């Protein structure tokens, strides 16, 4: 007797293990989440400062944004353990607003971008993630790893020679530490030991304090002072829309990556909604907005082993605590320690299996091309939305080219029929790519007066195919020949019946 396996309850499908309650009851799990949040916060601070400078605003704008967004998304997001904060991608997109129109217009852009993301969530845009093929996803991951690594290069050029041994020691600690114990995250150990060495021995190396001044007060509500006019909307609208698209795309791609790493599911629509609300709240407190951060998420999930919303919440809280209460301590953390952490993250993020010779030999060339074009465009533009968009477009073109050859037409003369007859059998899926050459596969001049086109082994998907069939019928009729279409399935008959004869003259 065959066992009946019950269908998984949708609520169970999105249930992550361990849950927040399980982590709170377990000292071991809670310690892991707390330490992971601390490591992420330490890594967030210099990046938030750097992204603020990219956007052309005060460092406090990026730091407050990271605090507000991380705390907000820990409650509102659909992917536990994913880190959301101020990001370079968003900074690059909206930087021209701050430069040309000032801080008020900049914050208004952030708030409008968040509202657009909420609308995207309501429209179910997150469901479009299913149309991103694996080759684009692999390209996205590899491009992110390269960008994470190359973003550390400025910290390795024109610096004191002591930076290099510090980075090397940091890498060695993070390699050896997991072999000894995984209770304390290896990145935290590396940061503490390298900071202690820099302070004790008075090493003159770049530190977090060199990146910019840390704030000394709590974030306050920011009241935007811009005219509520059509002109204002025309100024901030395009930047807000671009910010919304880039933020949603980066966040959903990162959520999918974490899903794969943790073997769990996330609520993509909820994540899109959470990102929008977090950006609105960020703007309300004078923050620069942001989205999911692949590097910090990988530190949290892969390097530190975090799995719950606790780590995300504490990452935000620790950012605020560290810069306000322990600003002097944070300021002396050597950048070499954070560079070592990010290099390890980059190496761990890259999908090395995808570039093995054995993999490349087995993989279809079109899949490899799509992966490479996604990597090249993303790294070249430093824009994940552009890279993924072109990658998906390339995948669509490759797919259409491949499927275009699946449709075929065979010709057979029926010698037993009372009236001279030729029978054509159309085989395959017919859509714009495969039906364009359909009209060239019939012998209009040499065929007898009766032509039967058998459609029983094919399916019509679009108006292009109906137009092609109309053109075929018209060509035969102009030569005084009778055409019979037979064998259409119900869906094909319905579509053909609705559109045939209404798409032009068929020539």
């Amino acid at each position: 007797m065959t066992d009946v396996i019950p269908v998984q309850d949708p609520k169970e499908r999105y249930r992550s293990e361990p849950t927040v309650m399980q982590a709170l009851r377990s000292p071991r799990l809670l310690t892991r989440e707390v330490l992971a949040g601390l490591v992420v916060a330490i890594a967030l601070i210099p990046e938030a400062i750097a992204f603020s400078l990219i956007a052309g605003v005060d460092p406090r704008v990026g730091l407050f944004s990271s605090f507000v967004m991380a705390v907000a998304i820990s409650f509102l997001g659909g992917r536990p353990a994913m880190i959301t904060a101020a990001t370079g991608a968003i900074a690059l997109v909206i930087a021209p607003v701050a430069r040309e129109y000032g801080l008020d217009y900049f914050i208004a852009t952030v708030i409008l971008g968040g509202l657009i993301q909420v609308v995207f969530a309501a429209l179910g845009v997150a469901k479009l993630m299913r149309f991103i093929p694996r080759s684009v996803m692999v390209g996205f991951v590899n491009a992110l790893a390269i960008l994470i690594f190359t973003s550390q290069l400025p910290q390795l050029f024109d610096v004191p020679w002591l930076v290099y041994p510090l980075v090397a020691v940091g890498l060695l600690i993070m390699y050896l530490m997991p072999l000894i114990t995984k209770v304390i995250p290896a990145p935290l150990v590396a940061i503490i030991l390298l900071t202690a060495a820099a302070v004790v021995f008075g090493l003159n190396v770049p530190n977090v304090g060199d990146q910019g001044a840390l704030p000394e007060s709590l974030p306050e509500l920011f009241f935007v002072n811009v005219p509520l006019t059509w002109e204002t909307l025309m100024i901030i609208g395009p930047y807000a829309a671009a910010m919304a698209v880039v933020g949603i795309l980066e966040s959903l791609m990162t959520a999918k990556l974490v899903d794969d790493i943790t073997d769990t599911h996330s609520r993509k629509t909820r994540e899109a909604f959470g990102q929008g609300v977090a950006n609105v709240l960020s703007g309300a407190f004078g923050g620069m907005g942001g989205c999911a951060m692949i590097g910090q998420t990988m530190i949290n999930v892969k390097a530190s082993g975090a799995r719950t919303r606790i780590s995300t919440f504490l990452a935000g809280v620790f950012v605020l605590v560290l810069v306000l209460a322990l600003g002097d301590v944070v300021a002396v953390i050597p950048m070499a320690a954070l560079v070592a952490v990010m290099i390890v993250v980059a190496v761990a993020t890259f999908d090395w299996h995808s570039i093995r010779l054995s993999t490349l030999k087995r993989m279809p060339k079109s899949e490899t091309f799509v992966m490479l074009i996604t990597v090249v465009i993303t790294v070249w533009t430093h824009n994940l939305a552009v890279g993924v968009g072109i990658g998906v477009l390339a995948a669509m073109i490759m797919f259409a080219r491949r499927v275009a050859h699946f449709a075929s037409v065979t010709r057979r003369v029926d010698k037993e029929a009372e009236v001279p007859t030729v029978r054509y059998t159309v085989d395959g899926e017919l859509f714009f790519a495969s039906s364009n050459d359909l009209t060239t596969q019939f012998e209009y001049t040499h065929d007898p007066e009766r032509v039967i086109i058998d459609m029983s082994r094919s399916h019509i998907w679009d108006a292009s195919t109906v137009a092609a069939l109309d053109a075929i019928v018209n060509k035969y009729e102009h030569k005084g020949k009778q055409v019979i279409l037979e064998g259409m399935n119900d869906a094909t008959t319905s579509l053909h019946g609705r559109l045939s004869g209404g798409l032009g003259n068929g020539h």
Side-chain angles (χ1 to χ4, degrees):
M1 184 176 177
T2 306
D3 292 334
V4 178
I5 301 175
V7 177
Q8 188 180 24
D9 186 335
K11 290 182 180 178
E12 290 297 319
R13 184 183 180 213
Y14 295 106
R15 182 184 176 89
S16 294
E17 296 285 348
T19 64
V20 169
M21 293 308 297
Q22 287 172 340
L24 289 173
R25 293 192 191 105
S26 168
R28 182 180 63 83
L29 294 178
L30 184 58
T31 300
R32 186 179 70 185
E33 298 292 317
V34 171
L35 294 178
L38 179 59
V39 173
V40 170
I42 293 171
L44 271 176
I45 291 168
E47 293 215 353
I49 295 171
F51 298 150
S52 298
L53 299 178
I54 290 172
V57 294
D58 191 86
R60 61 188 288 135
V61 175
L63 290 165
F64 287 163
S65 182
S66 296
F67 158 67
V68 173
M69 293 200 72
V71 171
I73 209 70
S74 68
F75 291 99
L76 301 170
R79 174 63 261 177
M82 192 166 79
I83 303 298
T84 292
T87 60
I90 298 298
L92 287 169
V93 169
I94 60 177
V97 181
R99 188 167 56 247
E100 296 175 24
Y101 301 101
L103 184 61
D104 284 285
Y105 279 85
F106 179 83
I107 299 300
T109 303
V110 172
I111 294 173
L112 180 58
L115 292 174
I116 293 172
Q117 288 179 328
V118 172
V119 173
F120 282 167
L123 294 175
V125 169
K127 293 176 182 175
L128 296 177
M129 281 294 297
R130 71 186 69 177
F131 296 110
I132 297 179
R134 183 184 177 279
S135 52
V136 175
M137 188 68 192
V138 172
F140 165 81
V141 169
N142 290 347
L144 281 172
I146 294 169
L147 288 176
I148 290 170
F149 178 78
T150 55
S151 67
Q152 307 309 307
L153 295 181
Q155 302 294 339
L156 296 173
F157 291 111
D158 287 330
V159 292
W161 68 270
L162 283 170
V163 167
Y164 304 111
L166 281 178
V167 172
V169 170
L171 294 173
L172 187 63
I173 290 170
M174 282 181 283
Y175 174 74
L176 295 175
M177 190 65 192
L179 303 178
I180 301 168
T181 178
K182 293 184 179 180
V183 174
I184 304 174
L188 180 59
V189 175
I191 291 169
I192 291 172
L193 292 180
L194 292 182
T195 302
V199 172
V200 171
F201 297 107
L203 303 180
N204 185 23
V205 292
N207 55 36
V208 172
D210 297 331
Q211 306 304 303
L214 300 176
E216 298 177 353
S217 62
L218 291 168
E220 299 174 349
L221 281 174
F222 186 96
F223 296 97
V224 179
N225 183 23
V226 296
L228 298 176
T229 62
W230 181 255
E231 183 184 0
T232 299
L233 184 61
M234 288 298 96
I235 292 172
I236 68 175
Y239 294 103
M243 169 190 165
V245 171
V246 170
I248 286 282
L249 188 57
E250 278 206 42
S251 299
L252 295 182
M253 294 286 278
T254 304
K256 191 173 187 303
L257 179 59
V258 178
D259 289 352
D260 293 340
I261 292 170
T262 60
D263 290 325
T264 56
H265 296 279
S266 58
R267 298 178 186 271
K268 303 297 190 300
T269 299
R270 176 176 170 179
E271 182 61 38
F273 172 79
Q275 291 288 332
V277 175
N279 272 308
V280 172
L281 291 172
S282 170
F285 283 94
M288 60 182 281
C291 61
M293 301 188 74
I294 182 68
Q296 276 63 28
T297 298
M298 290 300 101
I299 291 175
N300 198 44
V301 175
K302 243 183 176 178
S304 303
R307 290 293 182 271
T308 76
R309 298 173 186 274
I310 296 173
S311 58
T312 307
F313 173 77
L314 289 177
V317 172
F318 280 138
V319 165
L320 196 63
V321 171
L322 288 172
V323 298
L324 293 181
L326 299 172
D328 293 339
V329 176
V330 171
V332 299
I333 295 175
M335 289 302 297
L338 300 176
V339 169
V341 171
M342 297 310 289
I343 290 174
V344 168
V345 168
V347 172
T349 301
F350 196 91
D351 186 351
W352 297 99
H353 180 267
S354 67
I355 60 170
R356 285 181 188 165
L357 269 179
S358 57
T359 304
L360 295 174
K361 286 178 181 177
R362 288 198 310 269
M363 197 66 66
K365 288 183 174 60
S366 60
E367 299 270 327
T368 302
F369 173 78
V370 169
M371 186 264 285
L372 289 175
I373 199 74
T374 303
V375 171
V376 170
I377 297 297
T378 302
V379 172
W380 180 40
T381 63
H382 282 237
N383 190 319
L384 295 165
V386 172
V388 171
I390 292 179
V392 171
L393 183 62
M396 289 168 61
I397 294 171
M398 293 294 175
F399 176 75
R401 283 189 60 191
R402 197 160 63 242
V403 176
H405 303 297
F406 288 171
S408 62
V409 178
T410 54
R411 179 179 183 272
R412 181 174 62 84
V413 177
D414 190 350
K415 297 178 180 179
E416 298 178 1
E418 295 180 5
V419 179
T421 303
V422 67
R423 176 179 289 272
Y424 285 93
T425 301
V426 183
D427 198 331
E429 303 299 314
L430 301 174
F431 65 112
F432 64 90
S434 59
S435 64
N436 278 340
D437 296 331
L438 199 61
T439 56
T440 65
Q441 301 190 49
F442 292 81
E443 299 182 16
Y444 305 100
T445 303
H446 303 294
D447 280 343
E449 59 190 67
R450 188 165 180 262
V451 179
I452 297 175
I453 302 177
D454 182 2
M455 305 288 292
S456 60
R457 295 167 63 181
S458 62
H459 186 99
I460 295 177
W461 288 102
D462 61 6
S464 297
T465 306
V466 175
L469 285 175
D470 283 354
I472 293 167
V473 171
N474 285 337
K475 284 187 178 184
Y476 275 118
E477 289 178 347
H478 285 159
K479 295 182 181 295
K481 299 175 182 181
Q482 177 191 13
V483 180
I484 300 171
L485 295 173
E486 66 176 31
M488 290 185 181
N489 58 39
D490 292 342
T492 295
T493 301
S494 174
L495 183 65
H496 185 265
R498 281 202 319 273
L499 301 179
S500 181
L503 299 172
N505 60 14
H507 294 292

